[in-house]
Amino acid sequence: MMNRAFARRAVRRFMPGEDLDSALEAARVLAGQGLSTVVTQLGENLTSLAEADAVREHYASAYDRIATDGLPTWPSVKPTQLGLDLSFDACLQNLIALADKAGSVGSMLWIDMEDSRYVDRTLDLYRRLKEPGRGPVGLCLQAYLKRTPDDLRSLLPLKPAVRLVKGAYAEPASIAFRAKGDTDVAYERLARSLIDAAVREEAFPVFGTHDIPLLARITRYAKDLRARDGAWEIHMLYGIRAAEQRALASAGRRVRTLISYGKHWFPWYMRRLAERPANVWFVVRSVFA
Ligand code: FDA
């Protein structure tokens, strides 16, 4: 499927191109529209630590490009792409190197949250990265996991930067909410805790969602608590709710677009289709375009 012209056409809606140049060009265009960005390279499972080293070097050079081009862009990485399946320590060292690099060029490092097998180890990585003297790092937490309120409570003493998302993986009912309504309620509750912490200057929340009514309620809550405008951000994916992203930025919200790039887009693209079955019609239309 990845080699079919119709699939490549359809995936372009969510991804400006397969290489860093395309992602940074899109970041430059979005910056002109008042939108900052996050970039992430899509990857496949690693079979050696040498591949993880190559991913680290790729992101290190991305930081240099971002600094040279003066872009308001933060990279976001997956721990498995930096070797977590092969060695916790090697992955930690790779992340430390990237956090230091981020700090040296005035940028930031974000860590994605993968499926539930990785949550404990990813939290451990984050705790190690928050030790004094390390570069600025943020972590994604998933509202659909029943454990997340406890995880957030345990992280708050570290003054974390947290990107709250609903969660994208198929998880069992024993550990995750299966009904969308339950996840939405959990998300709003966690969002309020994060805003409370932001007001106390104990967290930097990012709300990674395209759920506009939910974002409106969070914004109202933040305003009621007089949270500073720069104290929290909204992040959305490239190609989804693009007009709303621009409208929110025009209304004074801090909005970032997450741009994915890379050759290994198939599993990631399937998650985007699964989130909204209507997207499948877009693919079908592309077959006949
Ligand atoms: P919800 O699914 O309720 O959608 C709200 C509305 O948004 C829909 O009605 C639809 O209009 C629109 N929409 C949502 N998804 C769409 C799509 N694919 N195509 C078209 N329209 C769509 N997950 C994870 O497990 N780990 C991670 O690290 C991250 N990182 C991340 C970063 C950022 C910036 C974002 C925005 C999202 C993630 N995610 C993630 C994905 C997240 O968990 C979730 O699967 C998606 O954001 C979809 O859920 P929403 O919050 O948008 O709500």
Side-chain angles (χ1 to χ4, degrees):
M1 177 169 168
M2 290 175 74
N3 293 324
R4 299 282 178 173
F6 79 83
R8 300 177 86 84
R9 254 196 321 269
V11 86
R12 276 294 151 93
R13 182 184 162 202
F14 295 116
M15 197 175 94
E18 292 187 354
D19 55 15
L20 178 66
D21 283 348
S22 321
L24 294 184
E25 174 54 22
R28 197 185 55 74
V29 172
L30 288 166
Q33 301 170 357
L35 295 163
S36 301
T37 38
V38 175
V39 291
T40 192
Q41 188 189 30
L42 303 169
E44 56 179 8
N45 286 349
L46 302 185
T47 52
S48 75
L49 285 175
E51 290 171 272
D53 291 346
V55 172
R56 183 198 63 228
E57 288 311 301
H58 170 80
Y59 279 114
S61 66
Y63 278 113
D64 286 331
R65 288 281 310 279
I66 288 165
T68 309
D69 296 355
L71 290 169
T73 303
W74 296 331
S76 191
V77 300
K78 286 194 172 19
T80 56
Q81 289 307 305
L82 291 160
L84 183 57
D85 277 325
L86 305 168
S87 157
F88 179 91
D89 288 335
C91 180
L92 177 62
Q93 292 311 316
N94 286 334
L95 286 167
I96 288 173
L98 290 178
D100 287 351
K101 183 81 189 177
S104 74
V105 298
S107 183
M108 189 165 179
L109 173 68
W110 281 87
I111 303 176
D112 290 358
M113 190 59 85
E114 300 173 82
D115 70 63
S116 55
R117 291 169 300 160
Y118 297 107
V119 174
D120 279 326
R121 282 175 286 168
T122 304
L123 291 169
D124 285 347
L125 287 167
Y126 187 67
R127 290 189 182 99
R128 298 289 300 277
L129 286 157
K130 289 294 285 179
E131 284 168 7
R134 305 240 153 100
V137 190
L139 175 70
C140 178
L141 293 181
Q142 298 152 323
Y144 67 1
L145 290 184
K146 295 174 182 172
R147 59 178 288 171
T148 297
D150 290 336
D151 291 339
L152 177 59
R153 250 189 307 278
S154 79
L155 291 177
L156 282 180
L158 303 176
K159 299 196 172 180
V162 173
R163 178 212 296 152
L164 184 63
V165 302
K166 291 191 184 176
Y169 299 86
E171 300 289 1
S174 53
I175 60 164
F177 301 115
R178 300 300 288 268
K180 178 173 154 40
D182 292 340
T183 299
D184 291 354
V185 168
Y187 191 106
E188 193 163 348
R189 210 169 277 148
L190 288 159
R192 284 171 172 247
S193 305
L194 278 164
I195 293 285
D196 292 343
V199 169
R200 299 191 303 267
E201 303 203 343
E202 287 174 4
F204 173 58
V206 160
F207 301 111
T209 179
H210 313 95
D211 189 332
I212 302 292
L214 176 60
L215 284 170
R217 291 196 297 279
I218 295 169
T219 304
R220 212 170 308 125
Y221 186 73
K223 282 194 168 160
D224 287 349
L225 263 66
R226 298 182 199 282
R228 268 190 311 109
D229 274 348
W232 58 282
E233 292 194 358
I234 295 168
H235 292 190
M236 294 193 199
L237 304 181
Y238 180 89
I240 301 181
R241 301 267 198 201
E244 283 90 343
Q245 294 187 34
R246 289 191 296 272
L248 284 164
S250 304
R253 304 280 79 77
R254 300 231 322 207
V255 184
R256 266 176 210 271
T257 305
L258 191 153
I259 304 168
S260 298
Y261 63 96
K263 296 198 187 316
H264 304 287
W265 44 261
F266 190 77
W268 162 85
Y269 185 52
M270 290 300 115
R271 284 201 293 278
R272 298 291 83 80
L273 294 188
E275 277 158 7
R276 190 159 179 262
N279 288 340
V280 175
W281 289 109
F282 189 80
V283 181
V284 173
R285 280 206 302 277
S286 300
V287 176
F288 298 105

